[in-house]
Amino acid sequence: MATAGISESAASSSSYLDIPLHIKYIQNLDKRQDLAYHLTSHLRLNGIYWGLTASHIMGQPSALDKEGVIEYVLSCWDGESGTFGPHPGHDGHILATLSGIQIMLMQDAIDRINVESITQFLLERINDDGSVSGDSWGEIDTRFTYICLSSLNLLGKLNQIPLEKKEKIIEHISKCRNLDGGFGRVPGAESHSGQIWVCTAALSILDRQDLIEVPLLASWLSERQLPNGGLNGRPEKLEDVCYSWWCLASISILGKLNWINKDKLINFILGAQDLEDGGIADRPGDWVDVFHTIFGVAGLSLLGYPGLQDIDPVYCMPASLIDKLDIRKPYATLERMTSYP
């Protein structure tokens, strides 16, 4: 799932998003069959979601073989847990569950999965204290809280969470909020851009954005932008293209997109492209992968980069699909540019 990136000097000179090349890169991911491919089977269903979503945002929703994708998702079903695992033969997990739902929605095949079984799996993950476990083994993480809520809402089953448990979920998220306005993985854990997005989006799904300290959190997030334009996940860390999503999507939900230097971030993302074989890396000169490709493209979409489709910052899915499902939550957008630079 990776290929060598171009040199940093060559990458930094790129001034446009090469959509056809990146689509070709996504289409060829399962043909490489290199060591990295085999070492990432635990992320396979997530990887398909990342590639498919990137294709949609780049205006090529049919880039991947529709029936082939659907059959693979169905092959990941774990009958014992009643949900999806990340790869055939793997145990069911909440991470793979959301990706399976998202893929089947984008492929207009949600009627081919057992919605009731998945709903039951998700409801059983909610603990009495409002935390959410990833599987039957009990690990908790605010990522899992978001995934549970997002999955149920995408399936139209959010109202099946008992009111008292919904209140406990809100209480648990609040306990994960820190003095800097950010959120951590569990109560007492440090603020991190990724965890901030899942908590901000979760509260948005629950219509409880009032619990977010907007000016304080937006300031913390905007301070993640470094002089080279890239964003980092927490203070004193390196910039990374993936935070073009985690930070920017949160800032969009908070309605403060103008607090980021748009042009510098666009140039940073474009500089991380591999203009020989396609794909986007974590930063210029590094190896590319589908994870950073989707979040680079998603970040560009939020910034209004020309030629891209809108992405919903709460669900990380095509905005048109979320609108069709009638589950859109408030967020800020930037006008789509007609050209760049």
Side-chain angles (χ1 to χ4, degrees), residues 175-178 180 182-192 195:
K175 288 179 179 178
C176 295
R177 186 177 58 227
N178 295 315
D180 55 17
F183 296 85
R185 187 182 65 84
V186 294
E190 69 174 316
S191 297
H192 185 281
Q195 306 300 145

Side-chain angles (χ1 to χ4, degrees), residues 92-105:
H93 195 279
I94 202 166
L95 286 167
T97 297
L98 177 57
S99 290
I101 292 169
Q102 291 169 314
I103 293 167
M104 297 302 267
L105 281 170

Side-chain angles (χ1 to χ4, degrees), residues 141-158:
D141 191 313
T142 46
R143 290 180 304 153
F144 305 155
T145 302
Y146 165 77
I147 289 171
C148 182
L149 296 171
S150 182
S151 297
L152 288 170
N153 211 27
L154 289 170
L155 294 174
K157 302 293 184 180
L158 189 64

Side-chain angles (χ1 to χ4, degrees), residues 223-232 239 261 264-265 268:
E223 288 169 0
R224 304 279 61 77
Q225 189 164 33
L226 302 180
N228 63 6
L231 297 159
N232 63 17
E239 69 284 350
N261 187 315
K264 292 188 73 172
L265 181 53
F268 171 73

